[in-house]
Amino acid sequence: MKAVVMAGGEGTRLRPMTANQPKPLLPVVNKPIMEHVLLLLRKHGFTETVVTVQFLATLIRNYFGDGEELGMKLHYVAEEVPLGTAGSVKNAEEHLRGEPFIVISGDALTDIDLTDMVRFHREKGAKVTIALKRVPNPLEFGIIIVDDEGRIQRFLEKPTWGQVFSDTVNTGIYIMEPDVLERVAAGEVVDWSGDVFPELLQDGEPLYGYIAEGYWEDVGTHESYLSAQADVLSGKVDVEIDGFEVSPGVWVGEGAQVSSEAVLKGPLYIGDYAKVEAGAELREFTVLGSNAVVRSEAFAHRTVLHDNVFIGRGANLRGAVIGKNTDIMSGARVEEGAVVGEDCVIESEAYLNNDVKVYPFKTIEAGAVVSTNVIWESRGQRSLFGPRGVSGLINVEITPELAVRLANAYATTLKKGATVTTARDVSRAARTLKRAIISALTAAAVEVRDLEVVPLPVARFHTSQSGVDGGITVRTTPGDPESVDILFLDSDGADLSPAAQRKLDRVFSRAEYRRAFPGEIGELTFPSRNVESYAHDLLRAVDTSGVAEANLKVVVDCAGGSGSLILPSLLGRVGVDVLTVNNRLDESSPTDTTAKRDRDLARLGELVSGSGADFGVRFDPVAERLSIVDDKGEVVDGDRALLVVLELVCAERGGGRVALPVTTTRIAERVAAAHDVRVHWTATATSELTKAVRSEGDEMILAGDGRGGFIIPEFGHTSDGIAAFVRLLGLVARTRRSLGQIEGSIPQAHLLRRSVPTPWAVKGSVMRAVVEAAGDRELDTTDGVRVIESDGSWALVLPDTAEAVTHLWAEGPDSDTARRLLDDWAAVVERAEG
């Protein structure tokens, strides 16, 4: 006996899950519903099966193929237009002649005993046998009454409660004699229950109902979809579960990584190669698809994640369904009944209310509260670029595929035959992404000079000095070893200007990429002596007079980063007694975490004080920024380090200008003014400091961001930790004061900072409220809104360009004043949000 699996329905009630995949392919415990059906058929001896397809038929064919992997032989029959339940089987008539056949839906989960149903059909001599099931709510099904012998007396499709005369419903599983198809007109829309069965009943044909004892669930709604998962996990339906039952009710697939410190409360299922981190909590009836990732502190209960879903730290999901390739970022919350389609991004702290449906390829902005369905709105990302280039989680937000598209877009903004540099930090992820980028660039008729692993300042230097048209550098995100930054550089080695970023963004969003003809494909070369030429030019440009005579002793921590490629040899040429630590390329630790940085700085302080060194520095892993330890072993960090370097530079130069972001303490203005140096206040973006240095020419003597980043104008226009260190060596050698003495002579600042979550939709109204609340007080709008009080105290309110937060700074003559200012303006921001 052959089988017919009906797999042509669109599953409209299950959208957005079925927006671009057929309902039979929806996974139930990581296996498509139709696969469960086919395995049931094989179990009962039905090895030759006809599959009727219509909606997204190619996806079904591609998944199941000819059925060989399942031990079956599958034939596919496609409908050009929907033909109804009977019309679709009629369309497959050439495969069904001469013997009875069974018809079963490809989107209902069941373990009904088909062998016993066949026995019943033959014993009764039935023309048609319908599998029946007793259900508590028959409104969505066809109801049927049978006599004591099982012969059907009456049926009615999808009744109202006033029409209900039975709780026995039609499951859509039929065994039929082949001549039944003679009752179905070819090429017309015909339904079994509405057209064919009533006619057979009226003609007195033997129609029987087989009341099944097994499990049956029509997976037609989101509620029934979740119920089906729970029933499989609870053992209520006899189907195969792939994987290992590691504890009662907890199933784990092949290659899955589950931390022993994760909380698992079964029954639940973790798919192949999924990852569950320590501190994550998975509760009853949760299903993780293959390659899903659940980060620490995330929570999921009665939630189904399809393949390749990412759940960020602290995310909370209850009773939700998340489509494949979707990212739920840190702190996001998805409530009961919500469904998120495939390839979506739910950004940090976003909130999806009960029963919200988000259709595929949508982005919900950080901090957004969504209470209605998102169907047509794109809600796309505001911009590719953030404060650190294009940033995101490795292999979640930043994948090799994305890197290729970004490189294609960047190449398209350049002329054919242009040349760019590429570089990376020590991480494997950066290496992988850079290879993808190089392939895309050369394929778009761009020549590539690969600098390989070099400090970021060296990459910027060579991009600015070698006559190339730009560059791309890949590094691990500072402070986040699981994320990566892709930095796009202009011909001067600086980050792309906002205008150039917007141009690249437009090309990327439209996918208007240029392709090269075979003869135009770019060459890949590997320039030699990159580090040596950088060091040579640096020592020629920066004043190191007096260093050799001062007999300085310094301790340098390379942080296991690319700075270790240049610093030891460079310091030998300068002529200082140097002790270097972490002087190696540490692939396993390519970026700083707060704990690692604090630990290294404490050790550096011990080495400085214990060895009697003049001072110590610690570079970040790409040598773009540095931290300073004074002669007493005390850390001089952030704004204090900026003030110390500022004092040294201004005292030596006795004039000129310095560029500082508006978030810097106004103590800096007093330090500069004491040496007839003026401050050029800039916006907080690093590119603004570069812009100021370029525009002021020889007048500019220093720029710093207060976070360990310094621009040394006599050498370059971009942040350079190595150049800053060499400049500091010269300054310390020529002064008669130690760094500890200098730091102690500078007044203490009382500058406080706070961040307030702010949905993107209200950022504009928040800033308007700030201006209104300022009244007639002096305002500075260099970046955000800085409100200046009559006594010189000030508060700055600045919306973040990449995240759904507003940052606040406040400075006063004492900590109490600063804290009161900060509280007052935070209250203004919070009221404006409400």
Side-chain angles (χ1 to χ4, degrees), residues 117-153:
M117 184 177 173
V118 170
R119 177 200 57 76
F120 177 89
H121 175 81
R122 287 173 174 161
E123 285 183 357
K124 298 296 183 180
K127 181 74 70 176
V128 176
T129 298
I130 303 172
L132 307 177
K133 185 71 181 166
R134 292 192 169 98
V135 298
N137 183 356
L139 295 186
E140 293 297 319
F141 310 102
I143 59 175
I144 294 177
I145 286 183
V146 295
D147 62 17
D148 293 340
E149 295 297 319
R151 189 156 181 162
I152 293 174
Q153 303 297 307

Side-chain angles (χ1 to χ4, degrees), residues 2 129 144 230 333 397 430 438 445 456 588 647 827:
K2 293 180 180 178
T129 298
I144 294 177
R333 189 177 183 96
E397 296 168 295
I438 289 171
L456 182 54
S588 65
E647 165 65 25

Side-chain angles (χ1 to χ4, degrees), residues 501-745:
Q501 289 181 6
R502 286 193 293 272
K503 182 178 179 182
L504 193 157
D505 203 340
R506 284 196 300 272
V507 174
F508 177 84
S509 62
R510 296 171 183 171
E512 296 173 344
Y513 308 135
R514 182 180 69 222
R515 293 288 182 268
F517 295 108
E520 298 175 324
I521 291 175
E523 290 282 346
L524 170 62
T525 58
F526 299 90
S528 60
R529 302 182 64 82
N530 302 315
V531 169
E532 291 87 344
S533 59
Y534 168 85
H536 178 268
D537 281 25
L538 173 61
L539 294 180
R540 191 173 59 180
V542 176
D543 184 3
T544 57
S545 61
V547 172
E549 295 78 12
N551 294 317
L552 290 178
K553 184 176 184 179
V554 296
V555 184
V556 175
D557 185 346
C558 299
S562 51
S564 61
L565 296 172
I566 185 174
L567 284 162
S569 62
L570 175 67
L571 293 173
R573 293 170 62 182
V574 172
V576 295
D577 183 10
V578 59
L579 169 64
T580 57
V581 295
N582 292 320
N583 181 28
R584 69 195 187 284
L585 294 179
D586 187 357
E587 189 179 274
S588 65
S589 183
T591 191
D592 276 341
T593 62
T594 301
K596 178 175 182 285
R597 181 175 180 274
D598 290 347
R599 183 177 64 248
D600 286 355
L601 283 174
R603 175 61 177 155
L604 181 62
E606 293 171 0
L607 290 172
V608 169
S609 60
S611 64
D614 293 279
F615 67 95
V617 296
R618 181 185 185 275
F619 293 90
D620 71 358
V622 293
E624 184 180 37
R625 301 177 183 277
L626 53 79
S627 301
I628 300 173
V629 171
D630 67 17
D631 51 297
K632 295 175 289 188
E634 300 293 330
V635 177
V636 185
D637 209 5
D639 264 347
R640 297 302 292 177
L642 175 59
L643 294 174
V644 168
V645 176
L646 183 66
E647 165 65 25
L648 283 166
V649 172
C650 292
E652 183 169 273
R653 296 292 291 269
R657 306 190 74 178
V658 294
L660 305 172
V662 292
T663 52
T664 307
T665 170
R666 265 42 189 182
I667 298 293
E669 205 161 36
R670 292 161 54 183
V671 171
H675 303 288
D676 295 323
V677 174
R678 292 170 295 157
V679 176
H680 179 127
W681 296 107
T682 75
T684 54
T686 304
S687 59
E688 292 297 317
L689 290 175
T690 296
K691 182 180 176 182
V693 171
R694 283 172 170 168
S695 65
E696 297 292 338
D698 293 341
E699 273 282 294
M700 192 63 67
I701 62 174
L702 180 71
D705 61 11
R707 294 177 288 114
F710 296 93
I711 298 175
I712 308 303
E714 58 264 42
F715 179 64
H717 297 158
T718 57
S719 182
D720 187 332
I722 300 170
F725 175 49
V726 173
R727 182 80 169 98
L728 183 60
L729 281 172
L731 291 167
V732 172
R734 293 187 293 273
T735 187
R736 297 190 178 183
R737 296 183 294 167
S738 68
L739 292 186
Q741 290 172 332
I742 295 170
E743 198 272 336
S745 69

Side-chain angles (χ1 to χ4, degrees), residues 59 68 90 275 279 326 354 415 444 475 515 640 699:
L59 296 181
E68 182 179 2
K90 176 71 173 182
K275 182 178 181 181
T326 283
N354 289 17
K415 294 180 180 179
R475 70 170 181 187
R515 293 288 182 268
R640 297 302 292 177
E699 273 282 294

